[in-house]
Amino acid sequence: MDHAADAHRTDLMTITRFVLNEQSKHPDSRGDFTILLSHIVLGCKFVCSAVNKAGLAKLIGLAGETNVQGEEQKKLDVLSNEVFVKALISSGRTSILVSEEDEEATFVEPSKRGKYCVVFDPLDGSSNIDCGVSIGTIFGIYTVKDRENPILDDVLKPGKHMVAAGYCMYGSSCTFVLSTGSGVNGFTLDPSLGEFILTHPDIKIPKKGKIYSVNEGNAKNWDEPTAKYVDKCKFPKDGSSPKSLRYVGSMVADVHRTLLYGGIFLYPADKKSPNGKLRVLYEVFPMSFLMEQAGGQAFTGKQRALDLVPKKIHERSPIFLGSYDDVEEIKALYAAEGKKE
C-alpha cells in the first residue's frame, strides 16, 4: 500500500472543513448555517446514490401523479422531495420550505424552527432520468425576520437578499457548487470517502464566451431581441467566428457548463410562455446569485434578475445569464427595443 498517498488524501479540503473555515471568519456565528448546509449536503449524497441506482431499483417510471407545474412526476422526484424536506426539517434550522414539488410552502413546527428559509427544486431536469443525462438539485437560502412568526413574505423577497445559493449536479461525477456571498466554489464527491472535496476553488466565469445555450425549437415564438441575439450568435456581422450551440435541456447541466466555460444561457419569454418557463425562487434566483458571484450577469429582459420581487412562490420569469459581455449584448438589444416602443 502507498501509505504516503493515503496520508495525503486525508489532507483534503472537504466541504465540511471549508464551511467551518468560513464560519471561523465570523466570530459571532453559532454554527446554525453550517448545520443547515451539512443537512443539504447529506440530502444531495442520498439523492446522488438514488439516481445512480435508479435503473436498477425500478425507481424510474411515473409515480402516477401530476405536480403543481403540470409535469408528470417521476418516482425519483417524489423520493428526492421527501429526502430534502425531512433533512431540512430535522436540521432544526429552518422555518419555511418551498419546493418545486409542493403546491404550498411548508411551515416547520415551532419546536423544530430555525432562522432560515430554504427554496429548492429537489430534482431539476427529471424528465432526463431515463436517458442518463445530468440532472440536479438547486437551492437558495434566506433568513427569516422573526422565527417565532415566520410568514410567506420571508421567502417572497428579491434574490439579492439570499444568504447562500447552490446546486448539486448528478452527472458523470457528483458536483456541488456553492456560494455564501463571497465567491463561488465547486466540490466533487469522492465516492470512496463519501465526502465532497474542493476541486474548483473560486470559480470565475470568463468575461466573454463562445457558447450559447437555448431551446431553438421555440424560435418561432421568440420576441425580436432574442431572435436578433441568436441570429447574431450564428451569423456574426463583425467577421468573428459563430458561437457554438450547446443545449442539454437540464438547467443544472447547462448552467454548470456556462459557469465553467463561459457563454450565455437563455430561457426567454415567448408567445407560448409569456412569463418564461423557469421558476423565480428556486431556479432563476439561485443560478443568478451564483453567476453574479462568479463575475457574470443575470437579466430578465427587463431588469437585473436578483432585483425581481416575486408575488407567488411558483412564479416564473424569463432569464438570460452567463458571461458579463454576452449578457451586456442582450441587454443592449432589449434597451433598443424599449426605445422603439
Side-chain angles (χ1 to χ4, degrees), residues 124 133-135 169 248 250-258 287:
D124 185 73
V133 165
S134 297
I135 51 183
M169 184 174 76
V248 178
S250 182
M251 190 192 192
V252 175
D254 281 314
V255 170
H256 186 64
R257 183 201 54 247
T258 305
M287 295 310 201

Side-chain angles (χ1 to χ4, degrees), residues 100-122:
E100 193 249 4
E101 297 292 336
D102 297 327
E103 201 156 345
E104 304 292 332
T106 301
F107 286 82
V108 178
E109 60 180 272
S111 64
K112 293 183 177 163
R113 266 183 206 155
K115 64 177 181 182
Y116 295 106
C117 307
V118 184
V119 294
F120 61 99
D121 185 343

